[in-house]
Amino acid sequence: MRIIFFLYTITLLLGCSSGVDISIPEKYGETTEYNKGYLTGSLSATTVWPSSGEGLVTTLYIRQKGHNDVITLVNNNADSDFITDSLKGQLFSLALPAGEYELFCIGFKGSNGSKTITSKSRNDLGLAFSIEPGRVTYIGQFITSSLVAKSKLWNIEYPSGYGVITYSNAYSRDKALFDERHPDLYNLAFSPEPLAEKNTRLISTRPE
């Protein structure tokens, strides 16, 4: 089982939700229609107190294998494409040159009520996926929740400012969202490429 821990923006973006900010290095602007594929997935947050992830900013760090140029996907939970009793989240979508890529790091930024806390995984996760011309690669759903702390004074649990990610597959929901948002890409093959086993819990443990 594989475990996930944790300038220039160009018009390769497919119209991502305003709740997900995507930054792509300038070099990816050289992509041609014949060498272009698509990456999609979702960034979510739990909404159940005190483990709610709504107060956390989650960043996925992606790069093409053998390259140092970093693509970042940042979820600030400002908007949502879907809401359930315990979850809210956004779909992300972007166009990329065909090739081999990896999710190599995950980071969090939050608050414990008195100070801002940032933490990241190691930088060599190496969770690989491929982008193929004329295909949509779906890498799954990343659900952020908060690690819980307990007040020594009041014995009350509250979000600690550190994050936990649970990885899962929300293929049916996210495929429908992708088709709704990008009807011109409806006929492209939509290929799931899991990065970890379903419902794997992933924790960031290294403060910056």
Side-chain angles (χ1 to χ4, degrees), residues 73-170:
L73 295 85
V74 183
N75 182 13
N76 57 25
N77 300 304
D79 293 309
S80 57
D81 292 323
F82 50 88
I83 300 176
T84 70
D85 291 340
S86 60
L87 189 71
K88 62 182 291 189
Q90 301 83 28
L91 188 78
F92 60 81
S93 306
L94 60 155
L96 292 171
E100 299 298 316
Y101 290 81
E102 60 180 349
L103 171 61
F104 70 92
C105 185
I106 298 175
F108 298 105
K109 182 178 181 180
S111 173
N112 65 1
S114 61
K115 64 180 179 179
T116 298
I117 295 173
T118 57
S119 60
K120 294 176 73 174
S121 71
R122 66 184 195 272
N123 287 316
D124 62 349
L125 297 177
L127 295 156
F129 60 92
S130 59
I131 299 295
E132 299 180 25
R135 299 178 71 91
V136 181
T137 298
Y138 172 68
I139 59 172
Q141 173 177 227
F142 302 85
I143 304 172
T144 299
S145 56
S146 177
L147 289 172
V148 176
K150 182 174 287 189
S151 168
K152 295 180 180 179
L153 181 61
W154 300 106
N155 200 32
I156 304 173
E157 292 186 334
Y158 62 93
S160 68
Y162 291 98
V164 178
I165 283 232
T166 302
Y167 179 82
S168 65
N169 185 347

Side-chain angles (χ1 to χ4, degrees), residues 191-206:
S191 306
E193 195 157 339
L195 301 186
E197 290 191 2
K198 185 176 180 181
N199 298 327
T200 297
R201 194 177 188 210
L202 315 159
I203 303 176
S204 173
T205 57
R206 181 171 62 83

